[in-house]
Amino acid sequence: MGKQGSPRCARPVSQNTNSVFRTKDYHIRSTLDSYGATADPSFGRRISGGENYWDSKAVLLHGLKDDSGKLNPCKGVHGGKKHTWFRRNVKPIAFMLLLMAFMLSLTAFLFLLDSLMVSLFTSINLQGSSTSRNSNGPSEDSVAYTREERPAVQMYGRLLNLASSAFTEKEFKQDSQNFWEEPYHQASKWKPCADKKYPTAPGKPANSNGYVMVSANGGLNQQRVAICNAVAVASLLNATLVLPKFLYSSVWKDPSQFGDIYQEDYFMRILKDDIDIVKELPPHLKSLDIEASGSLITDADIVKEAKPYDYFSSVLPLLLENRVVHFLGFGNRLGFEPLPPHLQRLRCKCNFHALKFVPKIQEVGSLLVKRIRKHYAASRQLDKQLLGDYAPGISSKQHKVARGSSRYLALHLRFEEDMVAYSLCDFGGGQNEKKELQAYREVHFPLLIERLRNSKPVSPVELRKLGRCPLTPEEAALVLAALGFKPQTYIYLAGSQIYGGNSRMLPFTSLYPNLVTKETLLSPSELAPFRNFSSQMAAVDFIACATSDVFAMTDSGSQLSSLVSGFRTYYGDGHAPTLRPNKKRLTAIFAENRTIEWNTFEDRVRKMIEEGQRVRVRGSGRSIYRQPRCSECMCRSQ
């Protein structure tokens, strides 16, 4: 303390050294590792402070220097005492300088290492399959700017810090709740039985009324629903089904046809007792101008979720007159109620039994799953149905040894550019993001723009409250953290290119570094046969998601998520949990992000997920593909 009247030592200005989220040496599992490298991936150590730690050191140094840059421990102290004080404190000062030099060197090293890891993650191609894109979505060329380097976007920095701290505290503790397992034992009482023969079933008609053709639009999952709806409509109209075709789309740019994805002969054999199926029209009908005859039926000609009466009144007369009808598009053109039980059962039989992927898709799907797990696991009914002869299998003695260290969670992160733009929500990216998404809407969603001009739009804040906004990668990571999934968890990311790329994924990988995709697990030569076939790539994603130990969806309206969750319900035997967040409830929880404590956040998120895991029988009007627990699809044991 100086003499009275002399200036006091100025204190360095304090800065908030809490980083937006803790910097990590995060590890992205590389192709080399997936091919059997011996390095065992582990959770990278966390370094508190991050970039702000570096800044705080600079502030301290600045506080110890005068205008010339020389050290001045207390600017303003009398010159006579200055040298005496310096000689007395020369050793502590030297020690402090050495310590700070060491810390600065260490920080610089860690900063460079972190930058290297960020670059590594950026190089990973998040361009997965376009499984769930809207049919009016973007072409591949239009999304190039999503790969640009951008600063990390965060909306919940405080919660990320709390999650990271919770990981440290609970690293060696066993969580009381285990979301790796189905929470309700009643789930195991429901067994697949859509392929069971019933004596009361009407069977095939003696004479066919004609031929039903279908050219389905959309991606893999939309086409799958269209196929099974076509099977039911053909049976309803006592008609013969021509093997469905797939429309070529300028969006999907995929020329794949039925036989490129599904086993044709197997499909026809499984359904032979229910309907007649042929690969093409007979010669005498091939020359018929179907459009001129009035037998071409577009989605504009038949209502969405049509009832049997609609087909009897408008389609059957054309079929009887021309002996053929051609459905063009056929997107969701058959409702779920009211429909006779035998037709509901036929839909289930088609979806869960008759549609089997071709061997080349099964083979690469099996290879992908093996590389994620790193160990073989005892083959389950779910694996056998999806992978056929390529399903991995080991002896029961090895089962307990191989299982456990090889489980993984599959995440369908529905945060593609078209989904984000169409939602009209705000995702914290500022004015640049708003302008970018508006430009995208004007190009790809002209009908939406026209509607917005003619009506008062709902505000982004209100849309979020209503649960209509897609979950960001950051939100998805916080949900998984709240459920108790450890940072070492292997996570398979399915879906298309994530909007914002690395800037959006950094918060996710800061908590969960072991993120893999089919592009990081399979070599370019292994992916080459599927490169220009988005539906076949989507089939690989479907396999990886359906066979995972846990499947987490972020949008229950997604067709991929719906079909995968239904498949897991049907074949999972009560051991294939699916996590379904309620976005409206989740929004209310995130709205308290500035004040909510981590324990409270955990409790509320867990209750929300548990509610979605309750064992329920399919409700009236609900999709039988997503919720097969009903008497037409599954049998319940006592």
Side-chain angles (χ1 to χ4, degrees):
M1 186 172 182
K3 291 197 284 188
Q4 185 177 3
S6 66
R8 297 178 182 268
C9 296
R11 294 184 182 179
V13 178
S14 64
Q15 290 194 0
N16 181 10
T17 58
N18 290 328
S19 61
V20 180
F21 61 84
R22 295 188 174 187
T23 307
K24 292 189 179 196
D25 295 341
Y26 55 84
H27 170 80
I28 303 299
R29 189 173 175 191
S30 66
T31 304
L32 177 63
D33 181 48
S34 68
Y35 293 160
T38 57
D40 185 27
S42 61
F43 182 50
R45 57 177 177 167
R46 289 181 292 274
I47 307 161
S48 63
E51 292 179 356
N52 286 334
Y53 177 80
W54 178 279
D55 293 340
S56 67
K57 290 295 181 185
V59 170
L60 288 173
L61 284 173
H62 176 73
L64 291 173
K65 291 182 180 180
D66 60 17
D67 295 337
S68 66
K70 296 180 180 180
L71 284 171
N72 188 348
C74 189
K75 199 172 180 179
V77 177
H78 288 178
K81 296 183 179 181
K82 183 174 182 180
H83 297 291
T84 303
W85 184 93
F86 182 79
R87 284 194 298 271
R88 188 170 62 247
N89 293 281
V90 66
K91 290 185 178 180
I93 290 174
F95 176 76
M96 286 290 293
L97 286 173
L98 288 172
L99 180 61
M100 284 189 292
F102 171 75
M103 293 300 294
L104 286 171
S105 300
L106 178 61
T107 305
F109 169 74
L110 292 173
F111 180 79
L112 290 172
L113 183 60
D114 182 68
S115 300
L116 177 63
M117 296 305 292
V118 169
S119 300
L120 175 62
F121 178 75
T122 304
S123 68
I124 292 177
N125 182 7
L126 292 175
Q127 177 71 40
S129 63
S130 302
T131 52
S132 303
R133 237 179 237 176
N134 186 288
S135 58
N136 294 322
S139 66
E140 291 179 2
D141 295 337
S142 67
V143 296
Y145 57 78
T146 61
R147 298 186 181 93
E148 293 176 2
E149 285 293 335
R150 308 179 186 189
V153 179
Q154 293 181 61
M155 300 171 70
Y156 310 101
R158 176 179 172 273
L159 282 177
L160 285 169
N161 279 331
L162 292 177
S164 189
S165 297
F167 281 161
T168 303
E169 294 170 9
K170 300 178 181 180
E171 190 168 359
F172 301 107
K173 294 180 181 178
Q174 184 67 35
D175 203 311
S176 58
Q177 286 180 288
N178 185 7
F179 285 91
W180 288 102
E181 301 291 341
E182 289 270 14
Y184 301 101
H185 69 275
Q186 299 98 317
S188 61
K189 294 183 178 181
W190 288 88
K191 307 293 182 183
C193 64
D195 59 340
K196 182 179 177 181
K197 292 183 179 181
Y198 291 86
T200 55
K204 289 190 300 185
N207 298 305
S208 172
N209 288 330
Y211 294 87
V212 169
M213 300 174 64
V214 171
S215 294
N217 62 8
L220 174 80
N221 302 290
Q222 290 84 358
Q223 291 165 352
R224 188 181 187 102
V225 170
I227 291 167
C228 295
N229 286 347
V231 168
V233 167
S235 178
L236 177 70
L237 300 177
N238 289 341
T240 299
L241 178 68
V242 180
L243 207 64
K245 302 287 185 184
F246 299 151
L247 293 174
Y248 180 84
S249 167
S250 59
V251 173
W252 304 101
K253 299 180 180 179
D254 184 354
S256 297
Q257 288 302 321
F258 190 101
D260 298 314
I261 300 171
Y262 303 109
Q263 299 179 33
E264 292 180 351
D265 293 338
Y266 183 87
F267 176 77
M268 297 169 70
R269 185 171 70 253
I270 294 298
L271 298 175
K272 65 181 177 61
D273 294 330
D274 303 286
I275 60 169
D276 286 324
I277 304 175
V278 295
K279 292 188 177 181
E280 56 184 25
L281 282 173
H284 70 280
L285 289 175
K286 284 184 177 180
S287 59
L288 178 69
D289 188 334
I290 293 178
E291 184 175 4
S293 69
S295 284
L296 183 67
I297 302 171
T298 69
D299 283 355
D301 300 319
I302 191 162
V303 297
K304 191 176 181 180
E305 306 290 341
K307 296 175 172 58
Y309 172 79
D310 298 313
Y311 286 93
F312 289 142
S313 61
S314 61
V315 178
L316 184 58
L318 291 173
L319 179 65
L320 293 172
E321 180 182 352
N322 298 321
R323 301 291 295 170
V324 61
V325 291
H326 184 184
F327 292 100
L328 193 65
F330 205 58
N332 295 321
R333 260 39 195 186
L334 181 62
F336 292 98
E337 251 75 41
L339 207 64
H342 75 278
L343 290 183
Q344 296 283 37
R345 188 176 299 115
L346 188 55
R347 275 172 147 178
C348 284
K349 186 176 181 179
C350 170
N351 183 51
F352 298 115
H353 293 274
L355 289 174
K356 187 164 284 192
F357 293 125
V358 294
K360 77 168 187 176
I361 293 176
Q362 290 180 333
E363 184 177 15
V364 77
S366 177
L367 186 62
L368 183 69
V369 172
K370 288 175 187 176
R371 286 181 181 164
I372 300 174
R373 294 190 185 282
K374 297 200 298 183
H375 300 285
Y376 289 103
S379 187
R380 305 164 296 172
Q381 192 176 10
L382 189 60
D383 302 319
K384 291 175 182 176
Q385 178 61 28
L386 286 168
L387 300 174
D389 294 337
Y390 295 96
I394 59 173
S395 67
S396 57
K397 291 181 180 179
Q398 294 173 292
H399 177 58
K400 291 184 179 179
V401 177
R403 196 78 169 158
S405 62
S406 56
R407 59 189 183 180
Y408 73 98
L409 179 149
L411 172 66
H412 185 214
L413 193 53
R414 194 69 173 89
F415 200 71
E416 295 93 348
E417 188 173 17
D418 56 345
M419 183 79 169
V420 171
Y422 196 84
S423 72
L424 301 175
C425 296
D426 180 25
F427 298 98
Q431 287 301 316
N432 287 340
E433 179 181 274
K434 291 178 182 178
K435 291 177 182 178
E436 186 175 84
L437 293 178
Q438 178 61 20
Y440 184 91
R441 282 189 285 268
E442 290 174 357
V443 173
H444 297 283
F445 301 125
L447 293 179
L448 174 63
I449 295 295
E450 186 66 25
R451 192 182 78 202
L452 292 173
R453 286 172 182 160
N454 298 326
S455 61
K456 184 180 179 181
V458 182
S459 71
V461 173
E462 191 61 27
L463 287 170
R464 188 166 291 279
K465 287 181 181 179
L466 294 170
R468 296 181 184 176
C469 298
L471 260 63
T472 65
E474 180 182 14
E475 290 169 329
L478 288 168
V479 169
L480 294 179
L483 297 178
F485 288 98
K486 303 291 186 183
Q488 299 90 340
T489 302
Y490 272 91
I491 297 177
Y492 178 86
L493 181 64
S496 294
Q497 184 175 353
I498 301 302
Y499 173 69
N502 192 42
S503 67
R504 283 289 177 182
M505 289 305 298
L506 273 174
F508 189 100
T509 54
S510 74
L511 294 181
Y512 292 101
N514 293 322
L515 184 72
V516 295
T517 66
K518 54 185 173 293
E519 288 81 8
T520 62
L521 291 169
L522 299 172
S523 69
S525 61
E526 289 165 340
L527 279 173
F530 308 95
R531 273 294 177 198
N532 297 318
F533 305 98
S534 61
S535 291
Q536 296 179 44
M537 292 281 269
V540 177
D541 267 338
F542 188 101
I543 289 172
C545 289
T547 60
S548 63
D549 296 273
V550 177
F551 174 60
M553 64 174 73
T554 59
D555 178 27
S556 58
S558 159
Q559 198 75 272
L560 171 69
S561 293
S562 294
L563 291 176
V564 166
S565 64
F567 224 86
R568 291 169 65 80
T569 297
Y570 192 78
Y571 283 113
D573 197 28
H575 300 291
T578 296
L579 310 179
R580 302 178 182 87
N582 181 314
K583 289 194 289 184
K584 190 173 182 179
R585 287 176 63 179
L586 193 58
T587 297
I589 299 171
F590 277 124
E592 301 176 31
N593 74 89
R594 295 182 184 276
T595 57
I596 194 169
E597 294 301 323
W598 184 253
N599 288 341
T600 305
F601 181 77
E602 279 184 334
D603 290 342
R604 292 176 65 180
V605 169
R606 291 181 182 204
K607 286 176 182 177
M608 174 195 67
I609 294 296
E610 285 172 355
E611 180 66 23
Q613 289 184 310
R614 292 188 183 278
V615 178
R616 296 182 175 91
V617 176
R618 184 183 74 92
S620 178
R622 299 289 183 179
S623 169
I624 208 160
Y625 306 119
R626 178 181 175 179
Q627 299 179 0
R629 287 193 187 107
C630 59
S631 58
E632 297 90 350
C633 249
M634 302 183 74
C635 299
R636 190 177 188 277
S637 61
Q638 299 300 322

